[in-house]
Amino acid sequence: MWVVVLRKKEQDMAIDVYGATWCGDCKQAKNTLEELGTEYTWHDIETEDGAADRAVAISGQQHIPVVLYPDGTFQVEPSAVDIKNKLNELNIK
């Protein structure tokens, strides 16, 4: 008997974090993801063209960080617990 395991493309599992280097909440979000061994793409709203506009388009507000998950949901200024809970919900580590 053969078992076929289908995996989602890596891009389908992407987590994007929009923020700025001076932002304490952004540092905390990045640290949480790193401590959990979760890959993410960092978008610096001050140096990456269009990143600030994308963050506002995603969240509808100008607060950071904005963490965008592969299921299309997002969190704004999430706590470490918020991030951990969302990763558990999505079965991402």
Side-chain angles (χ1 to χ4, degrees):
M1 179 170 132
W2 290 89
V3 176
V4 178
V5 176
L6 301 176
R7 293 184 180 204
K8 288 187 173 189
K9 295 178 187 175
E10 281 186 32
Q11 66 192 31
D12 293 340
M13 298 303 292
I15 294 174
D16 292 294
V17 180
Y18 294 84
T21 56
W22 49 261
C23 168
D25 288 339
C26 299
K27 291 176 188 175
Q28 177 268 312
K30 288 171 51 175
N31 287 340
T32 299
L33 290 166
E34 289 168 8
E35 287 172 4
L36 295 171
T38 305
E39 293 185 26
Y40 65 92
T41 302
W42 171 250
H43 301 279
D44 190 319
I45 64 167
E46 294 192 319
T47 61
E48 183 181 322
D49 287 341
D53 292 335
R54 284 193 307 276
V56 171
I58 292 164
S59 69
Q61 49 189 302
Q62 295 193 9
H63 298 278
I64 54 174
V66 174
V67 182
L68 178 63
Y69 296 97
D71 66 350
T73 63
F74 64 91
Q75 295 174 322
V76 179
E77 298 179 336
S79 69
V81 171
D82 293 335
I83 292 170
K84 289 176 188 176
N85 288 342
K86 185 62 182 181
L87 295 178
N88 285 334
E89 175 187 321
L90 296 174
N91 200 26
I92 297 175
K93 178 155 190 221

